[in-house]
Amino acid sequence: MQKFSDILQTLDDASNVERIELYNKDGSSAGVIENKPGSQGSIKVYSHLARMYGEISLDAAVEGLSLYAEHTEDAENCPGKHPNVDRLLNILEDEQPLTVKVIEA
């Protein structure tokens, strides 16, 4: 299995992204991912998924979990440790897509 750090190198640069806002179907906030140390990998993953799918759909969640590689298994074993992975796992369960708003600097 590829490592998350190696997969990140294959994704488009997202250094221009300031934050990614996520919304539930009813318009309520589902979270914000800020471009700061510790979440820059998630910025790249979610930015990629938004470009490819237009939202975080079931298919996007499946791809995202694959991109997170070893962090996906860790998130399954330690809920709460990786909130951005947990969000994708939740989509697998409830099949409710999230709307994505990418805020660029």
Side-chain angles (χ1 to χ4, degrees), residues 8-102:
L8 284 180
Q9 293 178 20
T10 69
L11 300 177
D12 290 340
D13 178 58
S15 59
N16 62 320
V17 175
E18 186 177 309
R19 70 182 179 278
I20 294 176
E21 299 173 355
L22 301 163
Y23 297 94
N24 295 305
K25 192 165 74 170
D26 66 3
S28 63
S29 176
V32 175
I33 305 169
E34 300 208 18
N35 192 347
K36 61 183 183 182
S39 61
Q40 291 170 324
S42 289
I43 286 283
K44 284 185 92 169
V45 169
Y46 275 78
S47 179
H48 167 78
L49 296 174
R51 273 195 308 279
M52 298 301 293
Y53 297 92
E55 65 179 3
I56 307 301
S57 62
L58 184 58
D59 288 341
V62 170
E63 180 176 344
L65 292 169
S66 172
L67 294 173
Y68 273 111
E70 73 273 10
H71 296 301
T72 297
E73 183 178 347
D74 194 34
E76 290 172 330
N77 294 330
C78 304
K81 185 176 178 183
H82 302 280
N84 296 319
V85 179
D86 292 341
R87 191 177 289 118
L88 299 177
L89 290 169
N90 290 340
I91 291 172
L92 290 187
E93 287 180 25
D94 64 23
E95 297 185 22
Q96 297 296 315
L98 300 177
T99 303
V100 181
K101 184 174 181 184
V102 177

